[in-house]
Amino acid sequence: MRVKVKPLECTGCALCELACGYHWDEAFSMISSSVMLYRGEEKKGYMGVMVKTPEDLFIGRPEGATAMKLGELQKEGASGGASAKPILIREACDLCESAGLEPQCVAICPQEALYLE
Amino acid sequence: MTAVRGRLGKAERDPVFERYRKAFLFAGPNEGRTTAYPRVAVYTGSGASHSWIWFADLMERIGLYDITFIVESDMSSGGLDGFDFLLVGGGDTYAMAESLGGDGARAILRFVGDGGLYLGSCAGAYLVLTGVDLEPFTPFRLVTGEMRNVMPDPPKPRCLDHKYLARYGEEWVFHPVYGEVEVGPGDAAAGFPCFDAGATIRAPLFGGPIMEGAHKDEVLARFSGLSDRAAFLWPRGDVLRLVDGRAAAVVSSIGEGTVVVSGPHLEHPLFPGANALAAEVLLRHCARKGELGGGRHTPGRGGDKPVGGEEAESLAREIRRQVSNARIVAFGLEKMPVTWRIGLKVWEPEKVRMFLDYAWYRLPFVAKRAALVSPGERLAHLAGGYGEVTQMARSVKARIESGEDSQAEAELLLGTLKELTAAFLSVYFKLRLQERTGLPEKPRTS
Amino acid sequence: MDFMYYGDILIVDLEAGTTEEVEIDEAWRAGPVLPAALELFRRHAQDNPLLLGSGILTGTTAPASCLGFVLGASQITGGPAVAPLDMFAGAEMKLSGFSMVLIKGNSPDPVYLWLHDGVADLVDASPITGKDTWRTCDAIREEMGEQLIQVVSIGPAGEAKSDLASFSINYWGSGDNAALGALMGAKNLKAVALRGLGMIDAEDPEEFYNRTMDLLRGSPSKKGFDWVSRGPEDEGIDAWLKPLAHRHRSCFACPCACNTFVKYNEDPAVMGSDGVQEPGLMVTNPAAALWLRQGGWGAEGACRAMEAMTRAGIDAVRGAREMSTGPLEDPTEIAAAVEALTGSAGAAWPRGEGAGSGIFGPRTPPQGSEDRWLEVNRAAYVLGICPLFLVTSGVELSELLELCLPAAGVEVDAGGIKEMFDRARA
């Protein structure tokens, strides 16, 4: 079971990021979320949603959604670096199990752009 | 306490630390102890990744503020004299061993022989295991233990290929699981509060050794289970068969000294239980020696002039300005699909913000006391340094965005950040130390 | 105020080039909300202040909590006027590390104000003087190295202090119908850039969060403009734009995506980002489109005209009404027509079309009676909730007001909001 994204349904409200940030930090912020709204190409109207899991990153690009293994999506390549640590700043999605809740990003999304599968 | 917020702040306020803060921070003659305040050296030199910051964080949580950040040249030039604890975190073990060399190894041996405590996690653990018996590691053998996570032909991983293997002679060190694991008490942890009533603790394993071969009495913690909050590079059942019951942490006494090695990062700031295990080891080391800390000397006071109040405030504002600017750029860097290889180690862009966050959350404390910072030039150095970091981060980001290679700029940025973070934390801990109450300062003896 | 806001009020003296921070007057129990800003506005009237701030719930999981405010003297009305700081700018204002900002005096040289995590920098804007709002946003984001910085800026119309001037938010048109863009121009203030990586605390976070989740579950999730239309004459705007429509976009935390991104320099069906750099426009306000459509414009020409106006820093709603030409299609002719508007002194405050309260612009299309719209606007700005959401979502205002207790530890009701505004006027 994991959180997936229907990127074309997303309207970029960032409620998923906010709910995830609340789950981790008990405050309203988007700096720690496992769910990340990509909105860095505003002038092109381009946006997507990413979900970090322990093993991969689900990337919901408007041109297609796919899960990519960590390391694969990076240009660096796939060998060596065995001692590199996963990032501290952003936790991997735990489906909100640590809070005993249903995944809050899915529950909060007004457009049903996030779903469990 | 720092100004850190969210889950990190919550972990920092965990009641588990009270026992150690009480022992370390507030202990003193006024409480009937013959104490000195332990001095801590944290290794930040070649090969050290970012996890040394976690050690600094842990020391702060348990009230130990007399912290010095050292590099390889400090070790070989007698720089370990007078310290009570030497903490070596994760990173590139080869780079560490090569840069420390025989001189560094002898310095560590002498340090432990003289009654010091060595605590190594992950790379810092591999460095001193007897089972790691190749050049350049040979001179460092301090703790009996073999690696179980080594084989000539490891199977293909399920994920995280880029973090799976490291060459070890003709064989490979492999990492079957990345993330949270469960550990239970070994015989050496009898009476440890963190394992009260048969409790287990959680700790993150990010490539550290899975050990066996240590004497039963020296096993501090054993792997006892797995967690969903981890990446499984091997099938979960295979991982469990490999790790279950193996040593996660080992403690060994050498004369008056103590050596502790841990595969999992006991110092990780989101794992208070693991932090408590490390803290208990430090406390018991001090107790075994009959005093709280060797207290072989305390840092010098005086002789350095702070800058004036107004100038200090202005410099503190400039540091804040630049750390904020750099942090905002670093946040943008996090989502960029790029990594940089420095030596054997892969660095993700996220780590830029991590370094900056550690300064950011401590800035309010420093800013309020900027006029006390001595010598005052330190503030100017930090302000200038963080200004450079901002420009470097912007340059790295611009290069990535335009599809250009950013390796050289990133290497410079991360190197500068590492040094600057150590410089910042030095200032911070010195101020913390000045505010500490209840402990007498002992004269410098070394 | 320990919750929902952090940081002090920032006072920027543009003439002296200095900043100082002051605490909010404790008498304002609800915090640095719009009525408190109005009081500050009056207290500093001799300095012709411009204020930016946010509502109690701005930047949280409360539905449509996107709203902040910009307050200043309108050169059209001669009195104070309020414009919405929406999309992501209101939330970023909340996160900037300042609970409110008051900018007084005029700068001798062009500057922009960079607010980041409780740090305020006045930055030389001479390199971007004369640039349109798109290039201004590009330049500031490039200079600071981050694309998520929210940029409230003026274009040539604002610099020329045109009555039609309006500040833009990033690349898009704002609800500034009161020429606050001209006030920025008069101050030699090219832009205010906002970014913060902080956290907003609630007094009772669990209670607050759970209540907001309940409200969101009961909120509509609509896309496009038609659902906010005020009558039959407004309908069909979505169908009119449909051939160009690429995606619908929400403001921060809003379940209703009433912004429409249209592409006319690229096939709207292109979803990747490898195509043209500037494929179109986000239509943020249907009123401008309505006016142009009523004038016989085709959708593409109208969108190009709206883009040109937004780039120039012209309020597209009033600009659309002032266009002296008939419908145009050729981009060059459209650009020339818009350029002719830049220095326009026309377009008086369109009273009688919405909340002619003296401070709230006719954020269009206005909803309901004038009195009702005034009441909604007052509540919206105090709460930080989009007024359109308030009147169209079916969520009761009382339910949103009740959020203030777990959010900030203050009880706020409709009567209390009126009292706040009365007090600010006194």
Side-chain angles (χ1 to χ4, degrees), chain C residues 264-301:
Chain C
Y264 36 83
N265 295 323
E266 182 177 71
D267 182 347
V270 171
M271 302 313 295
S273 67
D274 297 337
V276 297
Q277 290 298 307
E278 294 173 353
L281 172 79
M282 188 153 76
V283 182
T284 52
N285 195 324
L290 285 167
W291 275 106
L292 291 165
R293 188 181 68 165
Q294 285 172 20
W297 288 65
E300 181 173 336

Side-chain angles (χ1 to χ4, degrees), chain B residues 188-265:
Chain B
F192 275 39
C194 60
F195 290 126
D196 265 356
T200 58
I201 58 173
R202 301 175 304 118
L205 183 67
F206 296 146
I210 297 157
M211 297 173 283
E212 68 174 2
H215 191 280
K216 190 167 166 285
D217 294 343
E218 293 186 337
V219 175
L220 193 59
R222 293 185 186 278
F223 293 102
S224 58
L226 301 172
S227 154
D228 290 335
R229 294 167 58 81
F232 291 93
L233 289 75
W234 280 16
R236 192 171 172 137
D238 293 349
V239 175
L240 193 58
R241 274 188 290 281
L242 178 78
V243 305
D244 196 27
R246 308 282 184 207
V250 174
V251 60
S252 180
S253 297
I254 300 178
E256 285 268 291
T258 305
V259 181
V260 189
V261 292
S262 175
H265 283 273

Side-chain angles (χ1 to χ4, degrees), chain A residues 24-27 30-32 36-37 50 54-55 69-71 73-91 94, chain B residues 6-7 10 91 158-163 165 175 178 206 229-232 265 268 270 331 334-335 337 339 341 344-346 348 350-351 353-354:
Chain A
W24 290 119
D25 286 330
E26 293 178 7
M30 292 180 286
I31 62 174
S32 312
M36 293 160 268
L37 176 66
M50 297 181 279
E55 297 185 355
K69 288 181 182 175
L70 296 176
L73 78 166
Q74 292 157 342
K75 292 175 182 170
E76 173 63 33
S79 65
S83 63
K85 287 158 193 62
I87 50 179
L88 166 75
I89 295 170
R90 287 184 189 270
E91 292 278 342
D94 70 349
Chain B
R7 67 199 195 287
K10 193 175 171 185
R158 291 179 59 250
C159 58
L160 265 65
D161 305 42
H162 65 309
K163 297 185 178 184
L165 297 176
H175 309 297
Y178 251 84
F206 296 146
R229 294 167 58 81
F232 291 93
H265 283 273
H268 193 295
L270 286 175
F331 185 85
E334 281 177 30
K335 294 170 193 168
T339 55
R341 187 184 300 276
L344 283 179
K345 190 161 177 59
V346 174
E348 298 92 344
E350 295 91 329
K351 286 170 187 156
R353 176 152 76 96
M354 196 183 138

Side-chain angles (χ1 to χ4, degrees), chain C residues 139-163:
Chain C
I140 290 173
R141 287 177 168 180
E142 189 178 332
E143 181 174 16
M144 294 305 164
E146 170 58 14
Q147 294 299 312
L148 301 187
I149 292 169
Q150 299 299 296
V151 181
V152 179
S153 76
I154 58 169
E159 290 180 35
K161 306 176 206 49
S162 163
D163 277 357

Side-chain angles (χ1 to χ4, degrees), chain B residues 5 320-321 324-325 332 397, chain C residues 114 116-117 121 145-146 201:
Chain B
R5 308 276 314 285
R320 181 177 168 82
R321 167 175 293 111
S324 165
N325 277 328
K397 191 152 177 265
Chain C
W114 166 221
H116 54 112
D117 285 318
D121 294 332
E146 170 58 14
D201 282 317

